[in-house]
Amino acid sequence: MEEQAYFYRDTWAEVDLDCIAENVSSVRKHLPEKVEIMAVVKANAYGHGDVQVAKTALSAGASLLAVAFMDEAVALRHKGIHAPILVLGASRPEDVQVAAKYNISLTVFQKDWLQQAQQHLASGDRVSLHIKVDTGMGRIGVRSRDELSSVEQFILKDERFHFEGIFTHFATADELDTRYFKQQLALFEELLKGLTKQPKYVHTSNSAAAIRFPHAYFNAVRLGITMYGLTPSLEMQKEIPFPLKEAFSLQTRLVHVKKVKKGDKVSYGATYESGSDEWIGTIPIGYADGWIRRLQGQEVLVDGKRSPIVGRICMDQCMVRLPAQLPVGTAVTLIGRQGQEFISINEIAGKLETINYEVPCIISNRVPRLYKKGGKIVDIKNDVLGKSQA
Ligand SMILES: Cc1ncc(COP(=O)(O)O)c(C=O)c1O
């Protein structure tokens, strides 16, 4: 298999970049032209691959990128991304010169931070800043008109600081009850009135708000989960006006197949006992890959059929009760489609009693990511995506 030339195990994730492009362009069509898309590619693009997703999103209609930490922004610069990047989380004031050097925009919300940052900037340096307003998320951000004003004035007085943006983040944009959302938006609009200067970018919306609330667009939206083809919450699944294409799938192969007799045990703790003579397959994925022990009992797809994981999940392997005797090397799909069957990320999230966001994020770096375009695995060595859009 040519796509396995870059790693030496039978477990990999496939990221379909056409799905990501389609999701971004669906959102692009949904938004007014003047509203820019900031593609949120933090956490290795929610586990999908930072640079590949960034390039795809930029080609499909995004014009800005956002990450959580400066390390992620610097990594993207080193991988050849020239598009504007905003760090959404807190950065350290002593690292401000790095942000200036790499042309990375930072999020600020404390006057003390700005004072300390001044000491780390040389006279010709210039760093772009977005003020974060905490309108009810309770995470980071200025919370009052006075706080906002003192941060803004401090920025405006030092020409090494460029006041590029202001933003807030909604805590409940994906819930059907919109009262708290409306409260946050009203507070943000009120605080905006206190600004001396309107910066270039004013942005509030995550995926859920970008789909549901045109009156909260301002001039950019921060698009994360929807770009990956996932719904921001189960509640709002019906409100999405275009199809979303799930980009991430997880694949492995049977590395061992055996017949066990009725009463034989499987895996640590010998907790699984076969109820009859059964075919048991072993797959090379375990909790160190993010396929955690809570997934015991979860079905996988083998030979187009749903087959349960039996016994405890080990660090690197787990076992599956097969529908029939199957050869070593048979493809097993843990997330994604096989024949008529589909295991969605939402199904795995349900089993884990968590949200879909968490699932691709926890599939560890030990699982290689392969990229698909036009239904084919992209040659990652020759990077057929090219650099023109970066
Ligand atoms: C500040 C901020 N903006 C935007 C996003 C993207 O949100 P979503 O993935 O729901 O589109 C996130 C994600 O957590 C975020 O923290």
Side-chain angles (χ1 to χ4, degrees):
M1 293 271 304
E2 63 175 10
E3 67 264 34
Q4 304 219 3
Y6 311 120
F7 54 92
Y8 304 97
R9 68 184 294 207
D10 265 341
T11 298
W12 68 98
E14 276 176 25
V15 178
D16 192 327
L17 297 175
D18 292 337
C19 294
I20 289 178
E22 209 174 311
N23 297 329
V24 172
S25 83
S26 296
V27 176
R28 183 63 275 163
K29 285 182 205 134
H30 182 75
L31 298 172
E33 220 174 297
K34 71 163 182 61
V35 177
E36 295 191 41
I37 296 177
M38 187 183 288
V40 180
V41 294
K42 61 186 175 150
N44 195 29
Y46 295 31
H48 291 63
D50 60 357
V51 69
Q52 294 83 358
V53 171
K55 286 180 180 178
T56 305
L58 291 167
S59 311
S63 49
L64 312 155
L65 301 170
V67 292
F69 302 115
M70 222 164 86
D71 308 67
E72 297 173 320
V74 171
L76 284 170
R77 289 281 181 257
H78 285 156
K79 292 174 191 172
I81 298 291
H82 304 297
I85 307 177
L86 170 64
V87 175
L88 297 167
S91 301
R92 300 183 300 210
E94 59 267 39
D95 297 330
V96 68
Q97 212 177 24
V98 179
K101 174 179 164 196
Y102 286 101
N103 192 23
I104 293 165
S105 303
L106 298 182
T107 291
V108 294
F109 44 92
Q110 294 153 338
K111 199 171 131 192
D112 284 356
W113 188 97
L114 292 163
Q115 255 158 356
Q116 288 177 51
Q118 277 179 326
Q119 289 154 33
H120 297 277
L121 286 171
S123 60
D125 288 340
R126 191 164 156 83
V127 63
S128 294
L129 303 174
H130 290 225
I131 299 179
K132 180 72 183 281
V133 184
D134 179 9
T135 53
M137 179 70 188
R139 204 161 56 176
I140 51 173
V142 297
R143 290 168 72 92
S144 67
R145 207 166 177 152
D146 285 351
E147 249 185 303
L148 173 58
S149 173
S150 80
V151 168
E152 188 203 9
Q153 292 314 312
F154 206 98
I155 292 173
L156 295 179
K157 271 193 222 123
D158 189 331
E159 61 186 19
R160 295 171 301 174
F161 294 138
H162 168 223
F163 182 26
E164 184 181 50
I166 185 163
F167 71 111
T168 194
H169 190 54
F170 297 122
T172 63
D174 59 348
E175 291 178 13
L176 295 184
D177 183 340
T178 56
R179 280 172 296 181
Y180 196 74
F181 159 78
K182 285 180 184 150
Q183 216 174 292
Q184 282 196 260
L185 180 60
L187 178 57
F188 185 66
E189 282 170 336
E190 184 55 34
L191 290 170
L192 282 184
K193 288 184 198 151
L195 286 178
T196 308
K197 180 185 175 238
Q198 185 92 353
K200 180 172 180 194
Y201 293 112
V202 180
H203 48 108
T204 62
S205 298
N206 55 5
S207 295
I211 287 166
R212 300 173 77 198
F213 305 124
H215 57 295
Y217 286 161
F218 298 93
N219 59 12
V221 298
R222 303 184 303 272
L223 192 70
I225 200 74
T226 296
M227 174 166 64
Y228 304 102
L230 301 171
T231 45
S233 68
L234 295 177
E235 264 180 293
M236 62 165 288
Q237 213 151 6
K238 288 199 194 82
E239 297 202 14
I240 300 178
F242 41 80
L244 289 177
K245 302 278 177 71
E246 213 168 296
F248 188 95
S249 71
L250 186 59
Q251 315 285 348
T252 187
R253 291 181 190 281
L254 296 176
V255 292
H256 187 54
V257 175
K258 61 182 174 286
K259 191 173 197 179
V260 298
K261 293 201 182 65
K262 181 174 186 310
D264 282 354
K265 316 273 199 202
V266 173
S267 199
Y268 285 120
T271 57
Y272 178 76
E273 185 178 309
S274 69
S276 58
D277 288 3
E278 290 169 356
W279 287 100
I280 298 289
T282 302
I283 50 176
I285 183 167
Y287 61 77
D289 299 301
W291 198 252
I292 62 174
R293 282 166 52 119
R294 185 96 71 82
L295 288 166
Q296 180 174 340
Q298 169 62 39
E299 292 171 333
V300 301
L301 304 178
V302 196
D303 200 25
K305 298 180 190 72
R306 286 181 169 262
S307 315
I309 293 172
V310 294
R312 290 195 183 142
I313 293 176
C314 311
M315 189 185 286
D316 321 294
Q317 305 174 70
C318 58
M319 277 59 80
V320 174
R321 189 171 64 226
L322 301 175
Q325 180 180 13
L326 291 166
V328 164
T330 299
V332 178
T333 299
L334 299 108
I335 297 173
R337 181 167 300 284
Q338 212 186 76
Q340 297 304 306
E341 288 285 352
F342 181 60
I343 294 178
S344 66
I345 287 184
N346 278 344
E347 178 178 335
I348 303 298
K351 176 80 182 167
L352 293 173
E353 293 176 36
T354 185
I355 52 170
N356 52 18
Y357 291 69
E358 210 174 353
V359 175
C361 284
I362 64 169
I363 301 304
S364 73
N365 286 343
R366 197 170 77 166
V367 177
R369 267 64 171 173
L370 295 181
Y371 295 92
K372 251 181 165 170
K373 254 178 101 87
K376 287 205 187 96
I377 298 294
V378 172
D379 181 343
I380 47 180
K381 273 191 181 154
N382 295 316
D383 189 5
V384 298
L385 289 172
K387 300 202 186 310
S388 57
Q389 302 297 328

